[in-house]
């Protein structure tokens, strides 16, 4: 009995938080392979480092909120705040 191999979906997500498109996962995998030649690190650590960098950038945070239509005066809109040398994200209603 021959088993037929199922075709892979074109929009398949890989189990990485957040779930990624195949193209994004492939790009991240290439970076992961390059880094692993020098240091043993997981692909999840790399993804987390990228997200940490993005969340430290006020420009990226603003871009994301604008992209998904969060109004500039919405109380849940997030902005970067620095207090005593420590940065955090705060909603407008918290400011």
């Amino acid at each position: 009995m021959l088993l037929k191999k199922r075709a892979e979906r074109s929009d398949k997500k890989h189990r990485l938080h957040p779930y990624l498109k195949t193209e994004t996962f492939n790009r991240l995998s290439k970076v992961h392979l390059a880094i692993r030649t020098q240091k043993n690190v997981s692909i999840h650590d790399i993804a987390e480092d990228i997200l940490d960098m993005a969340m430290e950038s006020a420009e990226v945070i603003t871009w994301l909120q604008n992209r998904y239509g969060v109004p500039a005066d919405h109380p849940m809109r997030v902005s970067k705040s620095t207090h005593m040398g420590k940065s955090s994200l705060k909603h407008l209603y918290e400011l």
Side-chain angles (χ1 to χ4, degrees):
M1 176 183 209
L2 289 172
L3 293 176
K4 185 177 179 184
K5 185 177 178 183
R6 290 178 55 187
E8 187 173 301
R9 291 176 50 158
S10 62
D11 63 342
K12 180 181 176 185
K13 306 282 189 229
H14 292 275
R15 291 225 173 259
L16 183 69
H17 297 285
Y19 294 120
L20 303 174
K21 293 182 276 184
T22 301
E23 181 180 340
T24 304
F25 180 79
N26 290 340
R27 290 178 187 168
L28 186 59
S29 292
K30 285 186 180 192
V31 173
H32 177 238
L33 287 173
I35 292 171
R36 283 193 55 186
T37 62
Q38 300 300 314
K39 184 176 181 178
N40 192 14
V41 63
S42 77
I43 196 167
H44 298 90
D45 291 336
I46 297 168
E48 186 175 9
D49 287 342
I50 292 169
L51 288 171
D52 286 345
M53 274 192 331
M55 292 298 98
E56 287 297 320
S57 169
E59 292 81 15
V60 173
I61 294 165
T62 299
W63 175 81
L64 280 168
Q65 293 178 103
N66 290 342
R67 178 174 181 187
Y68 292 103
V70 179
D73 60 348
H74 195 282
M76 293 302 286
R77 189 167 178 104
V78 175
S79 64
K80 189 172 174 187
S81 173
T82 304
H83 180 69
M84 299 175 88
K86 185 176 179 182
S87 67
S88 63
L89 297 178
K90 296 205 181 251
H91 294 284
L92 286 183
Y93 73 86
E94 297 176 306
L95 298 177

